[in-house]
């Protein structure tokens, strides 16, 4: 349940998954049951890597199902940033 996860647990998980050292700017964590059961967790990074000379990053998010990576950097979920 989203309400059972603490801020510290979210921060640790974000740093592990994103291989980041900063805190996330924001997050979206929700659950829906109709007609399919969906659990979603979406982190928004606190900095834009391209701004700081890190080069263009590949857009997309990683999709997991029951802790199994389905697709890494799926380009169809998010629009390409300008």
């Amino acid at each position: 349940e989203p309400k059972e996860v603490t801020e510290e647990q979210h921060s640790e998980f974000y740093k592990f998954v994103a291989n980041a050292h900063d805190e996330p700017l924001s997050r979206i964590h929700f659950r829906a049951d109709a007609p399919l059961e969906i659990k979603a967790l979406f982190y928004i990074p606190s900095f834009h890597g391209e701004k700081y000379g890190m080069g263009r990053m590949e857009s997309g998010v990683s999709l997991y199902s029951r802790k199994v990576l389905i697709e890494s950097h799926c380009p169809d979920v998010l629009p390409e940033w300008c």
Side-chain angles (χ1 to χ4, degrees), residues 41-55:
L41 180 56
F42 184 76
Y43 290 104
I44 300 169
S46 61
F47 77 98
H48 191 294
E50 293 177 21
K51 251 184 177 176
Y52 299 106
M54 295 179 152

Side-chain angles (χ1 to χ4, degrees), residues 17-57:
V17 171
N19 196 22
H21 301 286
D22 61 327
E23 299 293 321
L25 177 66
S26 186
R27 73 171 184 276
I28 300 169
H29 189 184
F30 69 93
R31 181 179 176 193
D33 283 333
L36 300 171
E37 183 180 6
I38 297 171
K39 297 175 187 173
L41 180 56
F42 184 76
Y43 290 104
I44 300 169
S46 61
F47 77 98
H48 191 294
E50 293 177 21
K51 251 184 177 176
Y52 299 106
M54 295 179 152
R56 182 133 177 96
M57 298 174 72

